[in-house]
Amino acid sequence: MSAVEQRQAEPSPSSNSSSSFEVVEADTANKYEAVVPHWFYCKVIDSRERWIPFSRQDSAKLEEAHNSRKDDEQLVVPTEGGRYDVHLKKRLRCAMYWEEEVSEVRRCTWFYKGDKDNKYIPYSESFSEELEETYMIAITLDEWKKKLESPTREIIILHNPKLMVHYHPVTTSDDWGSTPTEQGRPRTVKRGAENISADIPVGEPLQIDHLVFVVHGIGPACDIRFRSIVQCVNDFRTVSLSMLQAHFKKAQEQQQIGRVEFLPVNWHSPLHSTGVDVDLERITLPSINRLRHFINDTILDVFFYNSSTYCQTIVDTVASEMNRLYRLFLQRNPDFKGGASIAGHSLGKEFSPGYRGSQMGAFEQGDIGGVKEILKTLELSEYYGVFAKERMDTQALALCTEKDLKDMGIPLGPRMKILHYVRTKEETQSKDAPRPESGSSPQLGSSSMNDGGKRQYLDVGLGQVSANYPQLIYKPDIFFAFGSPIGMFLTVRGVKRIDPNYSLPTCKGFFNIFHPFDPVAYRIEPMIVPDLEFEPMLLPHHKGRKRMHLELREGLTRMGMDLKNNLLGSLRIAWQSFTRSPMLAVEAAATQNEAEASLEKQTVHSDVKPEEPAATEKEDTAPIHVGMLNGGHRIDYVLQEKPIESFNEYLFALQGHLCYWESEDTVLLILKEIYQIQGITLDQPLQ
């Protein structure tokens, strides 16, 4: 007898145990339709396992691969915009651009409600097949109240198509041993992902128009919920997709655009994996343990950056990680033709973007034979095979950091010889090159050009040590800074003014974006135009117009200034009349008429009184020239605070520094500037 026949032969549960679940059943048998599977992956969130659905697009790809190539042991399916690969046979989901624990993947058809948070949990694939087989027999023969036992000895009863329940295993003991019963609080069972009210996204556009690297600030946590840079950038990417649909709908419908990819750059973990954490642990006091560990993890990064030992480690890590991500991205997206930009939060952008491709000089580009000659000169010819295998020419050699050579398996001694040779060649070339004019502005990344042409920090203010900036293998289009202290770092290092003609050598755009209550943010424009006082550009709300409470505040301020001006004018006239000597009636009437005319004139022109506070809208009527750092356009952009934030700016100061990841206004500015390069504008200009 088969398993299905055995289950059919089992007696149905007693009427007492199922009477509360009785419903009116149809007179005719229902027609069976196969369940539509959906693919999920398991992720631990807040110490709990959560089953998250793949997008409909990714689930369809996984299902197609599952049905067409079941026997392929090495089948890998890219998902989530290519950021994750799913190893179909192993049922594992792996991150491709950053380190992350692998996730279990499951082809799901049947679900039951969890006992803690009411989230639906999928049954195993094998038991789901058993449930589906039982369901098919029940609905075909119209014979219900089917009872099954799961591998964990839990009991599932199918009362009818709309009522199926799951019981926790409650054991009862008798002379024959322990047996599970259907006692206990029942949990709902659902068939098909469409019946569990899961939020299943449609999917991301396949076409990638632009790549943005996002560099985090100090510490491992990036927002007030102590989330990692990966989680925050995931939110940022999700917001960007919704902004594209809301504000670039016409371009999407005409298939002019796809999407912008955002990839996180993590430098905190490599820095703290150098062994310094162990050294700090030995000298950390035992009191206020949590606070001291928080300081070791976060604030200490600022001191690291000003340390001769770790400053170079930070800039090397950021540059090499960006280059690694860029190479991997091109490898996974060979048809990508777009540009790349950089976004940095807080301290995560004290990096001066550059491009060494046009500065090779002594290293002829594409000359693989040159590498062989260099190694021969250094008596390191035995390593030529390693460089040839990696297709390293002289250009690539000039871009190599010590970490790159170490990853290639080059020992410490040869690494030092190679790096010294490259550095010497560069310095020789720089000495032969024309020196910068005296008084030329320093690099924005707090650096200046010394006589040898090497970038080094100005030895003023904080006494910042010198650092050699590794170069990027691509030219960034735009540099976006969120809540940035760049202005403060420049000032304390002795830089009082930025030359209006200065611009980043290979990056034409620079935007300094900040929340008005962000305690870490500083402006840049006053360092370019120090003699002129003006407000930063107010970022428009993503839904158009200014926030209502800001308009109300400005209206009340304007009305108050009008009342003040009128009152002062009336008091002035009254005082003049009181202190003036008696005069003829005709003269008095003439004086009164003059006074009334003067008062009327003051009333008419009260809007342009110098006492009125400067409003952001004035910047639109009177353009302000802030140099070439952003191609002649404005640099400082301030977000509009929310109504609740305006009640107490001190209370929301920390939130102000960590608000950028979910800020629609910030994301929309980034998308607007990126697509403007391609000649694509918003559907409707924001007011």
Side-chain angles (χ1 to χ4, degrees), residues 58 89 128 139 173 196 198 240 259 320 334 345 389 436 441 458 496 530-531 555 586 604 632 677:
D58 287 341
K89 196 71 175 179
S128 292
I139 200 169
S173 299
I196 64 172
S240 75
R259 66 180 178 90
S320 61
H345 178 235
K389 181 181 178 182
S441 63
L458 294 171
K496 296 182 179 180
D531 301 327
V586 176
V604 171
I677 299 174

Side-chain angles (χ1 to χ4, degrees), residues 342-353:
I342 300 173
H345 178 235
S346 187
L347 182 67
K349 77 283 132 229
E350 277 288 295
F351 181 75
S352 182

Side-chain angles (χ1 to χ4, degrees), residues 12-23 25 144-146 157-160 163 165 167 182-183 186:
S12 61
S14 64
S15 58
N16 292 334
S17 64
S18 60
S19 59
S20 58
F21 304 114
E22 293 294 338
V23 295
E25 299 181 1
W144 293 97
K145 298 184 177 60
K146 299 294 183 181
I157 301 177
L158 310 183
H159 291 282
N160 59 62
L163 184 58
V165 291
Y167 291 97
E182 65 270 18
Q183 302 300 319

